[in-house]
Structure formats: structure tokens, C-alpha cells
Amino acid sequence: MVLTATGLTVADACLTIRTAGEGTVSYSHVQECLIGEDMARQSLEPIVDYLERDYATRMDTKLFIVQGTTAGELVEGYTTEQSAVTDRLEAISRELPLKSESWPYTLRHLLSDLKDNGAALVPLVALDDSGETPDIQAVGLCWLEDGVMAGTLNRRLSQAASLITGNGESDVFEVALDTGGAALKLTSADCAILPQWEEDRLTGLTLTLTAECALTELQGHNLQQEGTALLDDLEEALSDYLRQGMEEVLALSQSEGVDFLHLRRLAEMACPGKKELLNECWNSGFASLELEAEAQVTLERSYDTVA
């Protein structure tokens, strides 16, 4: 069952829908909130203001922005007697940590990020009706500026953003070599940030990603014959791939003048004694900071798979 209501304000529509149907809608039971792209590109402020003030809203309600359509159209396009949007969104929330392209994002996260600097990264979902039955897919991240959706990140940049912000838990990367290739499964990742200072002036940030991976599939090579030289090549190839993705998302953030990665917050944790000085330098010089990315991949175990 899908209930809809309209009103002059979010509160008015929510009040109207409470009496729709045979029962009473309780917002304390709501676990996911969908926001259409058109509304997100206007402003999330009215929605966030209502959700923050409403006593029944749960701070752990998961948020998604719907790409290319309204939230209502996605719900109506997916819902059937056999399928419910809530079940699919719950499944997506469980699946997100399995790929480092997004993460479960709650109202609490959004309020914290907007309070920090008005910017945020929010998961995107889209309705896929190309098959026999419609489906809802996670399609990466979008970034907000002053509470307004300002752009989207492709798969590679979403991966990089997840790893930089500490939300990259698991993923499988396909690595191509001159002949053949391999699949490497991410098992752990940590990104350290080091502010660079010249006396009391912040000049840049160095982000160092350390990742451990497992070799899950190998094509066109024999590990027993090639040994550590092959492992070195795989580690170097994936390290370069991850570093380039980090550089691209850092360049986008800096060129747009929007710290949607919350680098300042991460830098504060790296040097808490210089918090006030860092904030002074940040507000006047984010666009001119030298942002450097490094990545180091280590293969922790492997399987001798010959194709």
C-alpha cells in the first residue's frame, strides 16, 4: 500500500497522511527517507528542519536521494503486491558496506555534516525498469553545498570518497596487466591525513591510504612460476588506480570550493592542538592548499588460480 498527501509545508502533508488509510501512520516506525532529485536541488532545508524538530522522527532514519525522478515515482514504479520499497531499501543498506561506493547514511549523519560546513555526501538510488521487473539500485553518491544537491560522483569517485572518509570496508577491484589480469578483494583500509605547515600557515594536506587485499582470481598468469614479481605488479597497479581516484575527487572538491569530504574535520583530529589556527587558515585558503594523495596496497594472501 502506498499513501500520498500534499500540503503547504512538509508538516502539513505529514499531518494529512497520518489519517489516510484504515490505520494511523506512525513516523517513529519510519526507517528510510527518500528525497527526489528535483527537491534536493532546490534545498533540503525544509525537510531537514521538519525531521529535526519532529519528536517522532528517529535520528537513525536512513536517507537516500532519488536520481532522475521524484521519490513518489520511484515508490509507485517499484511497489507491487510481491515487493515493497522498504524491503528493498533495507537490503540496499545491508549491501552498501560490501562495496566501497557509498555507506548507510542517516539523518544524524546529515545534521552533523551540515552543521560542520553545510556540505555532505548522500547515497543515490535510482529506479531501474529495464528488466522484466523493476528494481532499485544504489548508484553512488551526490554532494551537497549549503544543503542543496550540487553534483554527483561517478563510481570511481564514489569509491575514492568512501576510502578517504573511512567508509570503505569491502570491494572487489579488477586489475588489468599487460596480459591477463586479476580480481583483488579489499579486506581493510585506512586513510591517514597529515597537515603540512610552514610556521603557522597551513600549506597543504597529505592523504595516505593503506589497504590490504586478497587475490581472489587470476587470469593469464601462473603465481607459482612468477612468484613475488607478479604480486608486486598487482600491488603497484591497484595502488596507482586508488591514488588517481583520490586525486580526482580531491581536485573536484577543491575546484568547486566545497569541502564535501570534510577534510578540515579530519585534519582537526590529526592536529587537535592547532584547531583554531587550522580553521583560520582553512576559511581563507582551501582553494590554494596543496592536496597530495598516496596509496599503498598490500596483498595479504593469495590463491594459485591459473587460467
Side-chain angles (χ1 to χ4, degrees):
M1 179 175 64
V2 179
L3 302 177
T4 62
T6 59
L8 298 176
T9 63
V10 176
D12 184 24
C14 289
L15 182 62
T16 300
I17 207 172
R18 283 182 185 272
T19 58
E22 297 179 358
T24 301
V25 176
S26 174
Y27 291 109
S28 61
H29 294 166
V30 173
Q31 297 182 352
E32 295 88 20
C33 177
L34 292 168
I35 301 171
E37 181 174 342
D38 286 347
M39 177 169 288
R41 288 191 178 276
Q42 296 176 33
S43 178
L44 293 184
E45 183 177 352
I47 298 175
V48 172
D49 182 68
Y50 172 77
L51 294 176
E52 183 179 15
R53 296 174 187 275
D54 182 50
Y55 70 91
T57 302
R58 297 163 55 168
M59 288 293 103
D60 61 354
T61 298
K62 296 178 178 63
L63 299 181
F64 301 90
I65 290 180
V66 180
Q67 186 178 49
T69 186
T70 68
E73 289 170 344
L74 180 139
V75 171
E76 293 175 354
Y78 179 81
T79 303
T80 65
E81 292 183 359
Q82 292 76 32
S83 60
V85 170
T86 52
D87 293 338
R88 181 62 183 128
L89 293 177
E90 288 176 5
I92 288 175
S93 296
R94 293 192 299 269
E95 295 166 0
L96 287 179
L98 302 179
K99 286 190 175 182
S100 297
E101 301 174 22
S102 184
W103 58 90
Y105 192 80
T106 66
L107 175 59
R108 181 180 288 105
H109 291 134
L110 179 64
L111 294 174
S112 176
D113 286 344
L114 294 182
K115 183 178 180 180
D116 181 46
N117 64 359
L121 288 171
V122 183
L124 278 172
V125 293
L127 181 65
D128 180 6
D129 55 4
S130 59
E132 294 183 2
T133 58
D135 193 13
I136 300 174
Q137 297 288 342
V139 290
L141 296 164
C142 68
W143 53 278
L144 309 183
E145 179 182 6
D146 295 328
V148 176
M149 179 178 170
T152 62
L153 303 183
N154 61 28
R155 183 177 187 272
R156 185 174 188 181
L157 297 191
S158 294
Q159 280 180 339
S162 297
L163 293 169
I164 288 173
T165 56
N167 292 292
E169 298 181 17
S170 178
D171 206 342
V172 175
F173 299 93
E174 296 181 356
V175 178
L177 300 176
D178 292 338
T179 58
L184 306 181
K185 178 177 174 56
L186 179 69
T187 57
S188 69
D190 178 70
C191 187
I193 185 167
L194 179 64
Q196 305 293 337
W197 299 90
E198 289 185 3
E199 296 182 349
D200 289 337
R201 185 171 67 90
L202 180 68
T203 60
L205 301 173
T206 300
L207 287 79
T208 303
L209 175 68
T210 304
E212 292 187 351
C213 294
L215 176 59
T216 59
E217 186 176 347
L218 185 62
Q219 297 179 346
H221 293 269
N222 188 316
L223 184 58
Q224 289 181 339
Q225 294 178 359
E226 301 178 58
T228 58
L230 174 59
L231 299 182
D232 291 343
D233 289 343
L234 291 172
E235 289 175 344
E236 182 179 359
L238 183 54
S239 295
D240 289 343
Y241 174 85
L242 295 178
R243 174 184 52 78
Q244 291 168 8
M246 293 169 64
E247 290 174 344
E248 289 181 26
V249 77
L250 289 171
L252 174 63
S253 173
Q254 202 166 31
S255 65
E256 295 290 345
V258 182
D259 182 19
F260 51 72
L261 296 166
H262 294 271
L263 298 175
R264 180 192 57 77
R265 187 166 60 193
L266 297 174
E268 282 182 2
M269 292 187 286
C271 54
K274 292 187 175 182
K275 178 178 179 179
E276 294 184 3
L277 184 59
L278 187 147
N279 286 332
E280 292 177 5
C281 297
W282 196 274
N283 294 333
S284 60
F286 173 59
S288 61
L289 289 179
E290 183 177 346
L291 303 181
E292 182 179 356
E294 301 174 354
Q296 180 62 53
V297 173
T298 302
L299 291 179
E300 59 181 11
R301 63 178 298 186
S302 61
Y303 300 90
D304 187 11
T305 304
V306 181

